[in-house]
Amino acid sequence: MRACRRLPVPHTPVWFMRQAGRSLPEYLRVREGVPMLESCTRPDMIVEITMQPVRRYAVDAAIFFSDIMVPLKAIGVDLDIKPGVGPVIADPIRDAAGLDALRPLEPDDVPYVTEAVAGLVGELGGTPLIGFAGGPFTLASYLIEGGPSKNHERTKAMMYGEPELWSTLMERLSDLTIEFLKLQVGAGARAVQLFDSWVGAVAAQDYRASVLPHTRRIFEAVEPLGVPRIHFGVGTGELLGPMGEAGADVVGVDWRVPLDEAVSRVEPGKALQGNLDPAILFAPWETVEQRARDVLARGRTAEGHIFNLGHGVLPSTNPDVLARLADLVHEASAERTA
């Protein structure tokens, strides 16, 4: 929490995106036979999965176990998360009539979220819980394309060719995201992260015109809640400047841009988060340690730094390496502040 606010810290804090799941054998056992979206609606399972990495690693925060599609499913959008594929939308939104499927999110739509957050706050003690939601561009892309997309061609066609329809869609998704984040914070989440995973597919000028106003509105709506706000996307090296302008307290950086370079791209007054390449964890430990120390060194050029990977933990990652990495981050950064 201090690093998010760019205050002095005894050591660099660390957590890992997708630490709550995927690579942990205990996670796989709990999830066996339970579809992804169902697991996100069972408070006992949410609590257990969120806590698993906190028990195993010396991480400084827990990330709420959920999925960016949960609020869409909760308001009645016909979708499923298919193993090996990702989110699949039964009726993609391609015209104004399709917007009728997007009603406002009510607290009663997601009682399992508030129940799970409250349960986690009790178990976590002093360890903060990070709530999260999907960013508007990423949600829009899934809704328009009908599923994952490499090129986002239908999404960009709407953004370029039907700006009024695009703006209305983004406004509704922003409203949904604002409410989802507010519910988590109201239940006890102490920070939030907005994952606009695929926004790196957009050119900087189009981001400023068609995405930034909506993202800024989300962060402005969350600001009165008084919790740190983190913003992250993949492949967003060319967008780090405008992403910083969106209003988050912390800008997440993927592994493609060194942190000391990111410092020059993001406006002053922001902390940075990142950014070890998740694939490096498959290299020999000597390489992992060398690269992690390099990330820490570059992170010291920022006003505040939270160590993380440059994207989520890969499914076949060895949990023992993550445990060792978390310890290294604490030890190496404490040495510098001693």
Side-chain angles (χ1 to χ4, degrees), residues 30-248:
V30 170
R31 274 284 319 279
E32 189 173 2
V34 182
M36 178 63 186
L37 285 172
E38 182 183 336
S39 70
C40 295
T41 63
R42 293 168 53 169
D44 58 337
M45 190 172 286
I46 296 170
V47 171
E48 169 60 20
I49 293 172
T50 302
M51 290 300 301
Q52 285 175 349
V54 179
R55 300 184 192 120
R56 189 185 267 260
Y57 312 135
V59 287
D60 295 285
I63 179 72
F64 187 66
F65 175 72
S66 187
D67 189 89
I68 64 171
M69 307 307 287
V70 163
L72 289 172
K73 181 74 171 180
I75 64 171
V77 175
D78 188 354
L79 65 91
D80 190 19
I81 297 178
K82 297 190 176 180
V85 178
V88 176
I89 312 295
D91 299 302
I93 294 177
R94 306 278 168 79
D95 53 33
L99 296 176
D100 294 340
L102 301 180
R103 66 169 177 81
L105 181 73
E106 304 291 341
D108 290 344
D109 293 323
V110 287
Y112 43 85
V113 170
T114 49
E115 181 181 339
V117 171
L120 281 164
V121 170
E123 287 210 30
L124 284 166
T127 301
L129 176 67
I130 304 171
F132 82 93
F137 177 87
T138 299
L139 294 179
S141 178
Y142 281 123
L143 287 171
I144 297 167
E145 304 290 342
S149 173
K150 289 184 177 180
N151 300 311
H152 309 278
E153 56 265 39
R154 291 180 180 271
T155 307
K156 290 185 177 183
M158 183 186 293
M159 183 176 70
Y160 296 142
E162 299 179 84
E164 291 185 6
L165 178 59
W166 172 261
S167 182
T168 303
L169 173 59
M170 293 288 277
E171 286 171 6
R172 295 198 184 185
L173 292 174
S174 297
D175 289 340
L176 189 74
T177 296
I178 289 167
E179 187 60 28
F180 194 54
L181 291 173
K182 283 184 173 181
L183 286 169
Q184 293 174 68
V185 174
R190 293 173 58 193
V192 294
Q193 174 156 307
L194 188 70
F195 286 87
D196 213 345
S197 307
W198 309 137
V199 77
V202 178
Q205 68 184 54
D206 298 312
Y207 178 88
R208 288 186 180 278
S210 303
V211 181
L212 177 58
H214 307 284
T215 305
R216 181 181 283 128
R217 187 164 70 88
I218 292 170
F219 286 127
E220 287 176 348
V222 175
E223 184 176 18
L225 303 180
V227 300
R229 299 153 296 167
I230 309 168
H231 192 18
F232 175 75
V234 183
T236 51
E238 297 302 319
L239 302 181
L240 288 173
M243 283 177 68
E245 297 167 20

Side-chain angles (χ1 to χ4, degrees), residues 292-316:
R293 288 181 179 274
D294 182 64
V295 169
L296 286 169
R298 294 175 188 275
R300 285 193 290 273
T301 65
E303 296 179 45
H305 178 217
I306 300 161
F307 189 98
N308 208 312
L309 303 181
H311 196 195
V313 174
L314 297 171
S316 55

